[in-house]
Amino acid sequence: MRAVDRLRRDHEILRTKLDVLEATLRMTPPTTWFILRELCYTLSRQLQDHIRREEELVTACQQSLSPDVRSHVRLEHDEEPQLLRTVNHLFIEEGGKAIEQVRAVLDELIPRLRRHMEGEEAELFPAIEEILGDQEESSARGSSPAVKLHEEMTVNHILHTYPQTKLLLERLFINVPYEGYDCLDEVAWRRGMDCCQLLLLLEKAISVECRCEETAAA
């Protein structure tokens, strides 16, 4: 996958999470408290992962990007995660009594994040695309040569190729009928995991089963 296309895909997933957050905010407490807490935690992880990828590309292109663009990206990347940290702090320190404070911060954060992503897609992403062209993601996959897993594989492909992963998928509450056509990176993001973590767990499940089969054959 091209590096800039990965950023666009990140935005699609972040927008989906923001849609769910908005829908949850319209629900009636106390149900919302626990759902919002989980959503904000995973959104924070996902946003940090996206910011890291984005800043790596901005650094690679910094000689060709205008100082205004670079400073704007840095400012947004400082302030938006700080808002999420404020929310997560309220969940930990204040409990359910801080629901109105949480709502107030999220009411500021959600439209702000949407405007930020729209601005990046209009200005930053085309600039990166022009500079980097078809350059692929440089991040390491972390997969062993024997297994050859990568984050763009779908859940259905993994399960069909490596049936021994079924138990792990069930333990992670991955709904195969619903998520079967989704790629591993998207499935990991929904659970607040780094995709490398999910790949390593799958590889371990596969390698353990393979060793058991080799021992039985011997």
Side-chain angles (χ1 to χ4, degrees):
M1 181 183 293
R2 295 191 311 165
V4 72
D5 289 339
R6 175 57 187 267
L7 296 184
R8 290 192 175 100
R9 185 173 178 183
D10 287 354
H11 279 192
E12 291 177 9
I13 298 172
L14 287 169
R15 283 191 175 101
T16 299
K17 182 58 66 69
L18 294 180
D19 288 343
V20 176
L21 263 178
E22 285 181 320
T24 305
L25 285 170
R26 293 193 292 268
M27 295 169 61
T28 304
T31 309
T32 54
W33 180 257
F34 302 102
I35 301 173
L36 285 173
R37 183 177 63 182
E38 181 63 21
L39 287 172
C40 288
Y41 175 73
T42 56
L43 176 62
S44 182
R45 290 279 302 272
Q46 292 167 353
L47 185 59
Q48 289 291 353
D49 287 343
H50 171 66
I51 286 173
R52 174 181 52 78
R53 279 190 283 270
E54 196 168 79
E55 289 184 344
E56 286 174 357
L57 294 190
V58 169
T59 299
C61 303
Q62 63 182 345
Q63 299 302 321
S64 303
L65 293 174
S66 72
D68 287 344
V69 170
R70 297 200 304 270
S71 62
H72 178 71
V73 169
R74 281 196 298 270
L75 179 64
E76 296 290 345
H77 285 179
D78 286 340
E79 294 184 351
E80 288 161 358
Q82 180 57 48
L83 286 172
L84 270 173
R85 283 193 290 272
T86 298
V87 170
N88 288 328
H89 175 78
L90 289 170
F91 282 124
I92 295 170
E93 299 295 329
E94 303 296 331
K97 63 184 179 180
I99 185 66
E100 292 307 319
Q101 292 172 270
V102 168
R103 286 179 184 275
V105 177
L106 291 177
D107 283 341
E108 176 186 354
L109 175 67
I110 291 171
R112 181 171 179 162
L113 263 175
R114 291 189 187 281
R115 289 193 300 271
H116 178 192
M117 290 189 288
E118 289 169 1
E120 288 184 341
E121 289 164 358
E123 298 181 23
L124 178 62
F125 290 5
I128 291 175
E129 194 166 26
E130 184 176 350
I131 296 165
L132 297 182
D134 293 331
Q135 181 173 316
E136 298 286 321
E137 273 193 278
S138 59
S139 57
R141 302 293 187 183
S143 299
S144 66
V147 178
K148 297 182 180 178
L149 299 186
H150 60 80
E151 59 197 14
E152 294 172 47
M153 288 179 172
T154 66
V155 172
N156 281 341
H157 176 81
I158 293 294
L159 192 56
H160 176 75
T161 308
Y162 306 104
Q164 59 267 47
T165 60
K166 183 175 185 292
L167 183 59
L168 173 63
L169 297 177
E170 290 175 351
R171 286 209 310 268
L172 294 173
F173 300 102
I174 294 174
N175 187 327
V176 176
Y178 177 73
E179 299 178 281
Y181 291 100
D182 294 336
C183 295
L184 294 177
D185 61 343
E186 186 172 349
V187 171
W189 266 36
R190 291 197 189 109
R191 287 153 182 82
M193 299 173 65
D194 187 283
C195 191
C196 289
Q197 291 178 281
L198 179 55
L199 289 172
L200 288 172
L201 288 172
L202 288 167
E203 290 169 4
K204 183 177 180 181
I206 294 166
S207 62
V208 167
E209 184 70 20
C210 288
R211 286 198 298 270
C212 290
E213 290 176 357
E214 289 172 359
T215 302

